[in-house]
């Protein structure tokens, strides 16, 4: 469970912004071309940021509970 802290919410907001950019940028993610590559990179960064923030914040919760 991700805590409802200010840092966790800002990380999720950043990840959602990258995911939205990847989905909304011109050009399909399946097409060829520069726009599609930029959209794929933004989408990948968003997914990576979301996974990283989930892992980091769940580890932080476990550390806080142990103390």
């Amino acid at each position: 469970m991700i805590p409802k802290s200010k840092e966790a919410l800002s990380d999720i907001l950043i990840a959602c912004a990258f995911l939205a950019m990847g989905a909304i940028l011109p050009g399909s993610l399946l097409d060829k071309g520069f726009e599609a590559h930029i959209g794929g990179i933004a989408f990948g960064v968003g997914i990576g940021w979301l996974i990283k923030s989930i892992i980091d914040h769940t580890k932080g919760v476990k550390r806080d509970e142990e103390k």
Side-chain angles (χ1 to χ4, degrees):
M1 183 79 190
I2 298 176
K4 303 292 189 264
S5 67
K6 194 173 198 176
E7 295 84 17
L9 292 177
S10 69
D11 279 345
I12 291 173
L13 182 67
I14 291 169
C16 290
F18 276 114
L19 289 172
M21 280 191 325
I24 295 174
L25 282 174
S28 172
L29 294 175
L30 301 176
D31 290 341
K32 294 179 182 176
F34 183 71
E35 295 88 5
H37 292 299
I38 295 298
I41 290 169
F43 202 75
V45 168
I47 291 173
W49 197 292
L50 186 63
I51 292 171
K52 177 207 77 74
S53 64
I54 289 172
I55 291 171
D56 286 348
H57 291 292
T58 54
K59 284 182 179 179
V61 170
K62 289 180 184 176
R63 281 189 223 129
D64 291 342
E65 289 174 356
E66 291 174 0
K67 289 182 180 181

